[in-house]
Amino acid sequence: QVQLVESGGGSVQAGGSLRLSCAASGLTVSSICMGWFRQVPGKGREWVASIDNDVDSSYADSVKGRFTIAKDNAKNTLYLQMNSLKPEDTAMYHCAADTASWYCAAYSEGYNYWGQGTQVTVSS
């Protein structure tokens, strides 16, 4: 049974940092594509970043240079380091895993497992 459990969200002021974690079980993070998405009420899930099985990473333009996605294979955990946070980064952040294809997608339909999410709130 696959489980993805996010943690590390919270409330910070603009310019601050947070590190999100996604602990995985039932799959091996090192061998698959994983991603982070975010969602605000009333809107669809927005792709934030993804990292493939060769640890090549991609980022949305809105977070490039501020966020870093990484895997810890020994802990079977995905991370998202978020620096220089802005109020517009406020959202529920979800990690996702794609065990069905070799392509690391930048859209939610490309992932077949999801965590419940962790809330990030950035105040100005």
Side-chain angles (χ1 to χ4, degrees), residues 78-101:
L78 177 73
Y79 297 99
L80 185 68
Q81 177 67 44
M82 305 187 295
N83 298 328
S84 302
L85 282 161
K86 303 176 181 180
E88 51 263 43
D89 295 319
T90 295
M92 182 72 77
Y93 283 72
H94 299 266
C95 69
D98 172 16
T99 64
S101 74

Side-chain angles (χ1 to χ4, degrees), residues 2-50:
V2 174
Q3 278 194 318
L4 301 174
V5 180
E6 301 95 335
S7 62
S11 297
V12 295
Q13 289 194 324
S17 298
L18 285 172
R19 188 178 78 156
L20 306 184
S21 301
C22 173
S25 58
L27 54 79
T28 303
V29 301
S30 62
S31 59
I32 61 172
C33 172
M34 296 196 71
W36 286 98
F37 289 75
R38 63 189 182 187
Q39 188 170 23
V40 298
K43 292 190 176 182
R45 283 179 178 170
E46 175 192 12
W47 172 72
V48 174
S50 57

Side-chain angles (χ1 to χ4, degrees), residues 29-76:
V29 301
S30 62
S31 59
I32 61 172
C33 172
M34 296 196 71
W36 286 98
F37 289 75
R38 63 189 182 187
Q39 188 170 23
V40 298
K43 292 190 176 182
R45 283 179 178 170
E46 175 192 12
W47 172 72
V48 174
S50 57
I51 183 167
D52 67 13
N53 54 330
D54 288 327
V55 300
D56 288 329
S57 55
S58 300
Y59 299 90
D61 288 344
S62 58
V63 307
K64 200 171 294 182
R66 301 187 297 122
F67 291 11
T68 303
I69 189 171
K71 294 177 180 178
D72 184 328
N73 296 335
K75 294 182 178 180
N76 210 36

